[in-house]
Amino acid sequence: MSRRHDAGIGLDIGSTTTKGLILSSTGRVLGSHIMSSGSSVAEATQQVLDILRSVTGIPVEDCPIVSTGYGRGSVASATRTVTEITCHSIGVHLLNPSIRLLIDVGGQDSKAIRIGANGRPSDFELNDKCSAGTGRFLEVMARVLGVAIDELGPLALRSSSPCSISSTCTVFAESEVIGRIGSGDSAEDIAAGIHLAMATKVAALSKRLGIERPVGITGGVSLNPAFRYYLSRLLDCDLWTPENPQLTGALGAATLALEQ
């Protein structure tokens, strides 16, 4: 017979960030934390759990824990592991049950997920091994342009004539951007071209699955206003973004933890 718990914990171990969220049995978020995954998933996970314990006063070792994300198998304290496809679907469904297509763009991958009326994934598409449709692509391009990653989107939105960035490979696109700089193109136009190229790749991924409105977008890259702008334009629809778009996977995982 399963034991009823007052709180459950979801851990989303991404390649760039580790996210943790503790959820009450009544569905209230009691605490959450996001931090860099760094070089040790185990250390990042333990720090997130320590912070959740500190901010909520709840003994996290007594809570069921579901881990998800690429590093989900490395969480020794997890009582269960679940794919990020399922956890993102459940998390988004809790926040907005009308969403039927979710686009999640993280540091090292992007994915489109069709969400059924029951909140479970019914189909999905993942990007290939190339990082051109991920946050890593933007990080590399920000470094080439000499701006902080959170400055890249606002810079792009000041452009009225985006450059054409034709390469879909991050390595070749980096060389193309360096060439644009050498040709005297403005940083605004180059930044806009970078976002348009990335949005085009993610839009193609989404269209392979089929666009079904309303469409939601999550992951760290959804915080970038220029990426949202170009992706919305290419898909010809508005994009719903939750208040904390990096925590939907952890929210879904915490929900599943309470079902154990």
Side-chain angles (χ1 to χ4, degrees), residues 79-134:
T79 48
R80 184 183 170 196
T81 62
V82 179
T83 70
E84 56 266 44
I85 301 294
T86 295
C87 289
H88 282 290
S89 297
I90 292 172
V92 165
H93 187 74
L94 282 171
L95 299 171
N96 187 343
S98 71
I99 295 297
R100 288 294 170 268
L101 178 66
L102 173 66
I103 300 167
D104 182 82
V105 186
Q108 296 286 358
D109 68 9
S110 55
K111 45 193 168 286
I113 308 169
R114 185 173 307 291
I115 303 177
N118 61 357
R120 303 290 168 147
S122 59
D123 200 0
F124 65 91
E125 283 276 348
L126 298 173
N127 71 327
D128 52 30
K129 294 180 180 178
C130 176
S131 62
T134 73

Side-chain angles (χ1 to χ4, degrees), residues 23-191:
L23 187 71
S24 77
S25 58
T26 59
R28 188 164 66 92
V29 176
L30 302 173
S32 64
H33 189 68
I34 302 173
M35 65 177 293
S36 170
S37 293
S39 59
S40 171
V41 167
E43 289 181 10
T45 300
Q46 190 56 54
Q47 287 184 49
V48 167
L49 289 173
D50 289 344
I51 290 170
L52 291 179
R53 180 192 296 109
S54 174
V55 298
T56 66
I58 295 173
V60 296
E61 57 275 9
D62 292 339
C63 297
I65 297 175
V66 167
S67 63
T68 188
Y70 100 101
R72 61 184 180 273
S74 303
V75 182
S77 55
T79 48
R80 184 183 170 196
T81 62
V82 179
T83 70
E84 56 266 44
I85 301 294
T86 295
C87 289
H88 282 290
S89 297
I90 292 172
V92 165
H93 187 74
L94 282 171
L95 299 171
N96 187 343
S98 71
I99 295 297
R100 288 294 170 268
L101 178 66
L102 173 66
I103 300 167
D104 182 82
V105 186
Q108 296 286 358
D109 68 9
S110 55
K111 45 193 168 286
I113 308 169
R114 185 173 307 291
I115 303 177
N118 61 357
R120 303 290 168 147
S122 59
D123 200 0
F124 65 91
E125 283 276 348
L126 298 173
N127 71 327
D128 52 30
K129 294 180 180 178
C130 176
S131 62
T134 73
R136 177 61 180 160
F137 179 77
L138 294 180
E139 289 176 0
V140 171
M141 299 308 155
R143 176 176 53 78
V144 174
L145 286 175
V147 300
I149 185 63
D150 59 352
E151 296 173 342
L152 192 61
L155 179 69
L157 289 178
R158 294 202 292 270
S159 168
S160 58
S161 180
C163 289
S164 173
I165 305 295
S166 57
S167 298
T168 56
C169 166
T170 300
V171 175
F172 292 137
E174 181 178 7
S175 299
E176 197 173 345
V177 167
I178 292 171
R180 288 285 183 182
I181 295 171
S183 298
D185 290 306
S186 73
E188 289 85 353
D189 290 346
I190 296 172

